[in-house]
Amino acid sequence: MKKIALITGATSGIGEATARILAQNNYNIIITGRRDDRLGKLAVEIIEKIGVDCYPLCFDIRNQEETEDAFHSLPSAWQNIDLLVNNAGLAAGLNSIHEGAITDWQQMIDTNIKGLLYITKIVAPIMVKNKSGHIINIGSIAGKEAYANGTVYCGTKHAVEALTKGMRIDLNAYGIKVGSVCPGAVETEFSMVRLKDAKANEKVYAGFEPLAANDIADAILFMATRPAHVNIADIFILPTAQAAATIFNKHE
Ligand code: NDP
Ligand code: 8X3
């Protein structure tokens, strides 16, 4: 029987690449996000080109009720999740603490922390009942250090780091694996979402080779396919040109 993976935020970037690579490795896939058209296209690709089953769920993970309703709309066989990839997230704005917009902070906290908790609160009890399962949270270098103008985003990713450690302890008695992947700069829609400006977005990745979404999907696949007695607690993965959150070896 195929395993079932639920990937939040699969309409672009890391989540989309992860959905593809897990499908190629024989998982049936549940993909989520707010952009229904993209979910539909990816589901068709996974079913028709890759040849496994795929169930798209369109909802805003900031909304607890929407998240619960979406999950419970799944046929019961699909609710037995083997692998939960908590990926949906974003940075909004790049501002010093005294200049940041409260609405940006709310969006980041509601998505990166509360949204991750809402879906985990639904899936973890199923894993506990099954006495098996694997949760992989997407953290960040921003969860390992703080950098100028990224305070609230860094705060949310530090929270993901703590939640990962706590979840691993709470779920230990049930044989459930919990780990995180913490990337540095990955070229996805992340900086466009954060900066809302094409030129500024281009500048972020200029002069060095950033990670690609597939590099992170690869790490997730590695974690997901270790033997039953092996749990990779954390993969901290950087572009070769990046040494710390704001230290890059850029060429002209
Ligand atoms: P993208 O912007 O490409 O993807 C973000 C995904 O999150 C989209 O599928 C988006 O779907 C989903 N999402 C955002 N808000 C919501 C919401 N309210 N409800 C449901 N889904 C939501 O960025 P990445 O792929 O780079 O980001 C994925 C994760 O990786 C994030 O947690 C990010 O913090 C983390 N990360 C990214 C790094 C990078 O440099 N790119 C580095 C380190 C960590 P939709 O808009 O359709 O709702
Ligand atoms: C995304 C990477 O350095 O922009 O989490 O915070 S960074």
mmCIF file with all atom_site columns, all heavy atoms in Angstrom, residues 43 98 125 170 184 214 229 246:
data_model
loop_
_atom_site.group_PDB
_atom_site.id
_atom_site.type_symbol
_atom_site.label_atom_id
_atom_site.label_alt_id
_atom_site.label_comp_id
_atom_site.label_asym_id
_atom_site.label_entity_id
_atom_site.label_seq_id
_atom_site.pdbx_PDB_ins_code
_atom_site.Cartn_x
_atom_site.Cartn_y
_atom_site.Cartn_z
_atom_site.occupancy
_atom_site.B_iso_or_equiv
_atom_site.pdbx_formal_charge
_atom_site.auth_seq_id
_atom_site.auth_comp_id
_atom_site.auth_asym_id
_atom_site.auth_atom_id
_atom_site.pdbx_PDB_model_num
ATOM 1  N N   . ALA A 1 43  ? -2.262 18.666 -9.419  1.00 0.00 ? 43  ALA A N   1
ATOM 2  C CA  . ALA A 1 43  ? -2.917 17.376 -9.167  1.00 0.00 ? 43  ALA A CA  1
ATOM 3  C C   . ALA A 1 43  ? -3.021 16.575 -10.468 1.00 0.00 ? 43  ALA A C   1
ATOM 4  O O   . ALA A 1 43  ? -2.722 15.373 -10.495 1.00 0.00 ? 43  ALA A O   1
ATOM 5  C CB  . ALA A 1 43  ? -4.297 17.587 -8.553  1.00 0.00 ? 43  ALA A CB  1
ATOM 6  N N   . HIS A 1 98  ? 10.698 49.067 14.728  1.00 0.00 ? 98  HIS A N   1
ATOM 7  C CA  . HIS A 1 98  ? 9.873  50.260 14.996  1.00 0.00 ? 98  HIS A CA  1
ATOM 8  C C   . HIS A 1 98  ? 9.156  50.750 13.736  1.00 0.00 ? 98  HIS A C   1
ATOM 9  O O   . HIS A 1 98  ? 8.355  51.668 13.811  1.00 0.00 ? 98  HIS A O   1
ATOM 10 C CB  . HIS A 1 98  ? 10.724 51.372 15.610  1.00 0.00 ? 98  HIS A CB  1
ATOM 11 C CG  . HIS A 1 98  ? 11.846 51.836 14.733  1.00 0.00 ? 98  HIS A CG  1
ATOM 12 N ND1 . HIS A 1 98  ? 12.934 51.048 14.448  1.00 0.00 ? 98  HIS A ND1 1
ATOM 13 C CD2 . HIS A 1 98  ? 12.028 52.991 14.055  1.00 0.00 ? 98  HIS A CD2 1
ATOM 14 C CE1 . HIS A 1 98  ? 13.748 51.704 13.650  1.00 0.00 ? 98  HIS A CE1 1
ATOM 15 N NE2 . HIS A 1 98  ? 13.215 52.887 13.389  1.00 0.00 ? 98  HIS A NE2 1
ATOM 16 N N   . PRO A 1 125 ? -3.043 13.618 16.192  1.00 0.00 ? 125 PRO A N   1
ATOM 17 C CA  . PRO A 1 125 ? -3.829 12.584 16.893  1.00 0.00 ? 125 PRO A CA  1
ATOM 18 C C   . PRO A 1 125 ? -4.039 11.325 16.047  1.00 0.00 ? 125 PRO A C   1
ATOM 19 O O   . PRO A 1 125 ? -4.110 10.214 16.591  1.00 0.00 ? 125 PRO A O   1
ATOM 20 C CB  . PRO A 1 125 ? -5.178 13.281 17.166  1.00 0.00 ? 125 PRO A CB  1
ATOM 21 C CG  . PRO A 1 125 ? -4.859 14.729 17.156  1.00 0.00 ? 125 PRO A CG  1
ATOM 22 C CD  . PRO A 1 125 ? -3.771 14.904 16.142  1.00 0.00 ? 125 PRO A CD  1
ATOM 23 N N   . ASP A 1 170 ? 6.981  15.292 22.701  1.00 0.00 ? 170 ASP A N   1
ATOM 24 C CA  . ASP A 1 170 ? 5.591  14.883 22.998  1.00 0.00 ? 170 ASP A CA  1
ATOM 25 C C   . ASP A 1 170 ? 5.193  13.619 22.247  1.00 0.00 ? 170 ASP A C   1
ATOM 26 O O   . ASP A 1 170 ? 4.394  12.828 22.746  1.00 0.00 ? 170 ASP A O   1
ATOM 27 C CB  . ASP A 1 170 ? 4.617  16.005 22.616  1.00 0.00 ? 170 ASP A CB  1
ATOM 28 C CG  . ASP A 1 170 ? 4.728  17.203 23.539  1.00 0.00 ? 170 ASP A CG  1
ATOM 29 O OD1 . ASP A 1 170 ? 5.324  17.062 24.625  1.00 0.00 ? 170 ASP A OD1 1
ATOM 30 O OD2 . ASP A 1 170 ? 4.229  18.284 23.169  1.00 0.00 ? 170 ASP A OD2 1
ATOM 31 N N   . GLY A 1 184 ? 18.860 28.013 3.973   1.00 0.00 ? 184 GLY A N   1
ATOM 32 C CA  . GLY A 1 184 ? 19.238 29.417 3.729   1.00 0.00 ? 184 GLY A CA  1
ATOM 33 C C   . GLY A 1 184 ? 18.483 29.884 2.499   1.00 0.00 ? 184 GLY A C   1
ATOM 34 O O   . GLY A 1 184 ? 17.317 29.533 2.314   1.00 0.00 ? 184 GLY A O   1
ATOM 35 N N   . ASN A 1 214 ? 14.179 22.218 -5.486  1.00 0.00 ? 214 ASN A N   1
ATOM 36 C CA  . ASN A 1 214 ? 14.476 20.781 -5.577  1.00 0.00 ? 214 ASN A CA  1
ATOM 37 C C   . ASN A 1 214 ? 15.546 20.333 -4.586  1.00 0.00 ? 214 ASN A C   1
ATOM 38 O O   . ASN A 1 214 ? 15.542 19.183 -4.152  1.00 0.00 ? 214 ASN A O   1
ATOM 39 C CB  . ASN A 1 214 ? 14.953 20.428 -6.992  1.00 0.00 ? 214 ASN A CB  1
ATOM 40 C CG  . ASN A 1 214 ? 13.778 20.034 -7.863  1.00 0.00 ? 214 ASN A CG  1
ATOM 41 O OD1 . ASN A 1 214 ? 12.752 19.567 -7.362  1.00 0.00 ? 214 ASN A OD1 1
ATOM 42 N ND2 . ASN A 1 214 ? 13.912 20.243 -9.161  1.00 0.00 ? 214 ASN A ND2 1
ATOM 43 N N   . HIS A 1 229 ? 14.276 2.977  12.224  1.00 0.00 ? 229 HIS A N   1
ATOM 44 C CA  . HIS A 1 229 ? 14.944 3.334  13.485  1.00 0.00 ? 229 HIS A CA  1
ATOM 45 C C   . HIS A 1 229 ? 15.735 4.632  13.377  1.00 0.00 ? 229 HIS A C   1
ATOM 46 O O   . HIS A 1 229 ? 16.379 5.046  14.338  1.00 0.00 ? 229 HIS A O   1
ATOM 47 C CB  . HIS A 1 229 ? 15.874 2.184  13.934  1.00 0.00 ? 229 HIS A CB  1
ATOM 48 C CG  . HIS A 1 229 ? 17.079 2.000  13.045  1.00 0.00 ? 229 HIS A CG  1
ATOM 49 N ND1 . HIS A 1 229 ? 16.993 1.475  11.767  1.00 0.00 ? 229 HIS A ND1 1
ATOM 50 C CD2 . HIS A 1 229 ? 18.384 2.295  13.238  1.00 0.00 ? 229 HIS A CD2 1
ATOM 51 C CE1 . HIS A 1 229 ? 18.203 1.439  11.231  1.00 0.00 ? 229 HIS A CE1 1
ATOM 52 N NE2 . HIS A 1 229 ? 19.064 1.942  12.095  1.00 0.00 ? 229 HIS A NE2 1
ATOM 53 N N   . THR A 1 246 ? 23.221 36.868 6.473   1.00 0.00 ? 246 THR A N   1
ATOM 54 C CA  . THR A 1 246 ? 23.482 38.028 5.597   1.00 0.00 ? 246 THR A CA  1
ATOM 55 C C   . THR A 1 246 ? 24.906 38.038 5.037   1.00 0.00 ? 246 THR A C   1
ATOM 56 O O   . THR A 1 246 ? 25.367 39.061 4.524   1.00 0.00 ? 246 THR A O   1
ATOM 57 C CB  . THR A 1 246 ? 23.216 39.353 6.356   1.00 0.00 ? 246 THR A CB  1
ATOM 58 O OG1 . THR A 1 246 ? 24.052 39.362 7.518   1.00 0.00 ? 246 THR A OG1 1
ATOM 59 C CG2 . THR A 1 246 ? 21.767 39.474 6.770   1.00 0.00 ? 246 THR A CG2 1
#
